[in-house]
Every structure is written in C-alpha cells, then in structure tokens.
C-alpha cells in the first residue's frame, strides 16, 4: 500500500522555466511533509518542508504548496537550473511516529 | 552543519562474512535511523533509535543487527546476508519528533 505517491516518474523542463513536481498521499494522519533531492550514489539531501498548519512555504527558488483537502502537495522550482537535475522524493510523517514514508520519486531533467 | 558521516562508502561481502556499517553525527541529534534503498525504489525505514534506545524495528530480519554505542554513533552489524540484501544503506539523524531528518551519503553494500 503506497501511502505517498508521485505519479510522474520523470519530468523534463527547459532551463529558466518553472519545474512543478507533484505528490499525493492517502494517510490523513500525515502532518509534516518534506522534499528531498537525490543524486545517483548519494544520500537524499533535504530541500524544504511544510507542516499541516501551513499551505505554503518558500525558501529561495523552492516553494512547497500543501492542499490538505486534496491530500496533495507540490514543489515549485523557479527558475530551473541544470544543477537541479536529480531525483526528487516527497516524504510524509506523523508527529510522534518518527517514520518518514517516501514517495516513489520523480526524475527531473533540466534541459539547457 | 547538517553532516551525517557513513563508512565505508562501498562494501562487498560474502554470505558467510560478518561486517559492520558505521554512522556518526555531531549535531546533538537525539534520533538516528537506518534506511535501506534498492535501485529505483524509495528509501525504506529499517530502525529508529531515540535517546540511544531502539524505538522502531520495521520487522527487519535478524541478520541485520543495529547498535547505538552513544548519542553520536550508530552501527549496523551484518551477518549471513543474502544477495538480495545488496542495496544502499542510509543513515540519518534528527532532533526528534516533527524535526527534519538529515541523511548521510549512504553505504553501498554488495553481497556475493
């Protein structure tokens, strides 16, 4: 049972344009959400997070949006840069559980 | 500083060998984790240590044995592994509940 889903396995975006990565979840108990970026042969690098009391969090070029009623979150990267090419995982947690549940990942390719 | 250090980066072991993976963090984090990631799959939680005590074991086979000698160190002892245990093993740490989990670069394990 995949509680966190990233339905797009891959995405290609032109350099300078906006990249939008999507994530859906089924467990309504999740109240903390994170995005990680992963290069091959490396561990995931934390990018940005959002708690369920917010619907938007921004950090530089990265913005995460949370729609609790739709159980959907998205990561916007503006402007996209070649170094953003990587696999992006969304992850969700329930406060007190300490168990991150990861989505299946989306491979983002930025085209120069 | 969000550094989690894992050694070795690569390990090849036979099915009768005993080896250990090591993880270290000096961020004062009180929770430490082992995750396993197979190719093209999301990371999956194996163990959680909270205040040096094992708090979560995700039904991991006993051939994997975690150990937390102190608040900065986490080991994963490996014995009688199978070829299907070959994967990237990720260590992570956090301040605890509701806080961001930071990952190390991982240890690539190949069982032959």
């Amino acid at each position: 049972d995949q509680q966190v889903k990233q339905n797009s396995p891959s995405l290609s975006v032109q350099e300078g344009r906006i990249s939008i990565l999507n994530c859906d979840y089924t467990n309504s108990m999740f109240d903390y959400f994170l995005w990680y970026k992963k290069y091959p042969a490396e561990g995931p690098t934390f990018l940005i997070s959002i708690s369920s009391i917010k619907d938007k969090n921004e950090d530089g070029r990265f913005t995460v949006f949370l729609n609790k009623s739709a159980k959907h979150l998205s990561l916007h990267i503006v402007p996209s840069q070649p170094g953003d090419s990587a696999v992006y995982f969304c992850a969700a947690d329930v406060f007190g559980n300490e168990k991150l549940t990861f989505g299946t990942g989306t491979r983002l390719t930025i085209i120069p | 500083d969000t550094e989690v250090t894992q050694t070795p980066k690569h390990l090849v072991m036979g099915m009768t060998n005993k080896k250990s993976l090591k993880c270290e963090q000096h961020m004062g984090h009180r929770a430490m984790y082992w995750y396993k990631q197979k190719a093209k799959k999301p990371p999956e939680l194996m163990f959680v240590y909270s205040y040096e005590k094992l708090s979560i074991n995700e039904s991991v086979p006993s051939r994997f044995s975690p150990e937390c000698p102190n608040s900065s160190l986490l080991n994963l002892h490996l014995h009688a592994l199978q070829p299907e245990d070959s994967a990237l093993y990720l260590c992570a740490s956090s301040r605890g509940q509701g806080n961001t989990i930071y990952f190390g670069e991982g240890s690539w394990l190949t069982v032959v």
Side-chain angles (χ1 to χ4, degrees):
Chain A
D1 175 29
Q2 190 70 33
Q3 297 186 66
V4 180
K5 298 177 187 178
Q6 294 174 255
N7 291 319
S8 298
S10 62
L11 176 68
S12 294
V13 175
Q14 206 78 34
E15 181 180 358
R17 306 292 286 266
I18 182 171
S19 295
I20 301 176
L21 297 103
N22 294 304
C23 180
D24 297 292
Y25 61 96
T26 57
N27 187 345
S28 57
M29 297 294 291
F30 287 143
D31 54 9
Y32 187 57
F33 304 89
L34 308 92
W35 283 95
Y36 287 86
K37 173 181 177 180
K38 188 175 185 300
Y39 294 117
E42 292 185 10
T45 301
F46 168 72
L47 278 177
I48 192 168
S49 63
I50 189 166
S51 78
S52 59
I53 61 172
K54 292 186 172 183
D55 54 19
K56 178 183 174 181
N57 190 25
E58 198 169 348
D59 184 2
R61 295 187 299 117
F62 303 95
T63 303
V64 56
F65 295 91
L66 175 63
N67 182 334
K68 288 189 290 294
S69 60
K71 294 192 181 68
H72 177 84
L73 65 154
S74 61
L75 174 68
H76 292 210
I77 306 174
V78 181
S80 300
Q81 299 173 353
D84 295 330
S85 294
V87 177
Y88 289 77
F89 288 98
C90 69
D93 197 6
V94 176
F95 186 84
N97 260 9
E98 299 196 274
K99 291 172 61 172
L100 272 186
T101 301
F102 282 85
T104 47
T106 296
R107 179 177 300 279
L108 175 65
T109 302
I110 305 302
I111 304 163
Chain B
D1 183 10
T2 56
E3 190 169 301
V4 177
T5 305
Q6 291 187 243
T7 56
K9 288 203 183 314
H10 298 274
L11 177 63
V12 180
M13 61 185 289
M15 289 188 284
T16 57
N17 290 160
K18 282 186 182 181
K19 297 284 185 183
S20 297
L21 304 180
K22 296 185 184 301
C23 176
E24 191 169 359
Q25 59 87 13
H26 294 288
M27 296 176 278
H29 288 176
R30 70 120 176 108
M32 295 187 76
Y33 312 79
W34 281 113
Y35 280 79
K36 172 182 176 179
Q37 185 176 22
K38 302 278 279 184
K40 298 187 179 180
K41 296 283 189 182
E44 293 181 349
L45 181 66
M46 298 175 73
F47 303 104
V48 180
Y49 271 82
S50 181
Y51 290 109
E52 300 168 46
K53 289 191 184 341
L54 183 65
S55 58
I56 295 176
N57 176 342
E58 289 287 280
S59 302
V60 179
S62 60
R63 57 185 184 269
F64 294 92
S65 174
E67 179 199 17
C68 190
N70 62 54
S71 59
S72 301
L73 296 174
L74 185 66
N75 298 323
L76 185 63
H77 302 298
L78 314 168
H79 175 54
L81 295 193
Q82 303 295 312
E84 58 264 30
D85 295 322
S86 299
L88 177 66
Y89 288 84
L90 294 161
C91 175
S93 71
S94 78
R95 289 197 182 92
Q97 297 173 359
N99 285 280
T100 300
I101 294 177
Y102 295 96
F103 287 84
E105 292 202 347
S107 293
W108 282 98
L109 174 67
T110 302
V111 182
V112 297

